[in-house]
Amino acid sequence: MNFVSSLLEALESLTSNKVRTALTMLGIIIGVGAVIAMLAIGNGTEQAIVGEIEGIGTNLLFVMTNREDVTNPEPLTIRDAEAIADPIYAPSVSAAAPVIQGQAELTAGGNVATTGLVGVTEEYRVVQNVELSEGEFFTGTQITGLASAVILGTNVAEDLFGRSDGLIGETVRVSGQPFRVVGILKKKGGSEFGNSPDDQILVPLTTAQTRLLPRTTKNQVDLIYVSAIDADSVQQAEDQISLILRDRHKIKLGEDDFNIISQEMFLDMASTVTGVFTVFLGGVAGISLLVGGIGIMNIMLVSVTERTKEIGLRKAVGAKKKDILTQFLIESSLLSVIGGIIGIILGWLLSLGIGRIAAASDFILTPAITINSVLLATLFSAAVGLFFGIYPANRASQLEPIEALRSE
Amino acid sequence: MTEWVVEAKDITKVYQMGEIEVHALRGLSVNIAPGEIVSIMGPSGSGKSTLMNILGCLDRPTSGEYSLNGEAVAELNDDQLAEIRNRGVGFVFQSFNLLPRATALANVELPMRYAVLNGRNRKKVATEALEAVGLGDRIHHRPNELSGGEMQRVAIARALVNNPAIIMADEPTGNLDSKSGDEIMTLLKNLNKDRGTTLIIVTHDPEIAELTDRVISIRDGRIAE
């Protein structure tokens, strides 16, 4: 019995009861579709988050005070940042940008807005890759001279003035003090982490320290952004920063009173989280595929019972056990493979749809259908068809020819 | 030894029906020569169908020796029996037993599909077989488009397509009107004459039995003399 004719016969048998075949396939279609869509969304989410983190810059390090493990940490200062930026002690560091962060109430022309405020130095521009849609970034004299200058995020500008251009030279009151607008940040769009630069304002670090966000220690900063000279030097830069800060903070033993967080740690964290997420979604979808497989087994058992007489006749004219076995296995595999192919298309459409919905709600998610997930779904559905076909097919092949012939 | 197509000696068959043992055949011997037309007669329950199943290798005897075409069948496994049925025996059933969704041609091709030699000219051989039974113009019809007599002709074409030594017919005219029945009997007799195929017909109809060379009467699992 050659394979092509067996295949044709199986197809004919499946098309002879179209409604039943369609309903049986539906289980597999939904199962495979769900697996494909869920994996695509999981992968898409991971890529979106990774992209977001990498967008900040892969060679970026965050240095902050360790308040959890140390009771009386020495705060970070501008001097620490200057030491970190020293090319002799830290050759792997290209720039260090100390900042202080807080909230401020802004008023302009009767409009009030509460925004995030960041006190920055010139290095901030390099480290954070700041781009302005108009105006100029703070100059060295503005920063050392405690200038009352402010750079607005686009959303802040919209809130205060109803527009985000032609605002250079306007006056904004920050915590009641008049500041002159010197620049507008370029719009960055939605951010998964909530604190988009669109909703922030920048002021010179010295101005923030002395007049807006006073800190207990002189020259104290909240956070130092450090950029390594390249992505490969991040680890060396981290080691050099540790050495410098331990020396400056006089730490010989025990916990450091600062933490250095690298982009890689964020990436690791994010991919762990999204990995769990993907496995979870895929698992739930896999269960529905399993249920689809049980549907196949059910229908194949019904089919064997219905066709007992046919099986008897085939055996009478010379069909061997393996002929009957392959006949039913081909039918069940065909059911699941065709269902699987339709399911892949459905899953693809589904993930496209979900991507659209996500985009509409400002969450950039491009569902990623990988070759792996397609292969996984195809192989899994074929395996489901084979596995759940074995029992009914085996039952058919074991029938005694005379008893099968005698049945009605 | 090979002068008989069918050589059965002291065949018994015991069925276990729950607690009770049913003796369907109680030591029955029968020899049939090549080219013979034999009818097996007997009332229902006499064991004639059981005998036919054993002679046709659909079933194994409980004890006794049976050789088909000189080949001892007792030692063979299920797959070897299937091969013997495929090559050596053609079946014609009372209820035709055609595949309902397949055309006459596909039905006739079926035994060839399970044959060891998977001939390329299956379609040609099947068409010739259908022509031989007078259905040359019906080869693409499905069973539900054929009359009872035509369906039985398809079944006969299917039975002879692998050139078996024996055709076993179990009440071949039982579901047909007398005119179609006569036609089927004529056809079977002609096949016997043209091809020399041995014909074993199980029937309870004395008129059919009269058309055969020899009548084997069975009663209570034994040959009734």
Side-chain angles (χ1 to χ4, degrees), chain A residues 1-2 5-6 9 12-13 16 309-310 313-321 323 401-402 405, chain B residues 15 53 58-59 78-79 82-83 85-86 91 93 95 97 99 101 110-111 113-114 118 122 158:
Chain A
M1 185 109 168
N2 70 53
S5 63
S6 309
E9 195 174 49
E12 201 176 275
S13 149
S16 73
K309 196 160 187 155
E310 176 192 321
L313 171 80
R314 285 176 186 274
K315 288 201 150 187
V317 301
K320 300 190 177 105
K321 276 189 177 128
D323 294 320
I402 32 167
L405 271 174
Chain B
Y15 292 111
N53 289 337
L58 283 168
D59 205 355
D78 285 355
D79 281 352
E83 230 174 284
R85 290 196 294 271
N86 185 254
F91 291 95
F93 301 96
S95 50
N97 282 354
L99 299 182
R101 295 182 304 269
L110 193 64
R113 295 174 64 164
Y114 296 117
N118 202 347
R122 249 162 37 187
R158 180 180 65 194

Side-chain angles (χ1 to χ4, degrees), chain A residues 4 18 74 123 130 146 171 202 204 240 316 320 327 370 378 404:
Chain A
V4 177
K18 291 194 183 66
E74 190 179 326
E123 286 81 10
V130 175
L146 280 72
T171 303
L202 306 181
Q240 290 157 9
K320 300 190 177 105
Q327 184 191 346
T370 60
T378 315

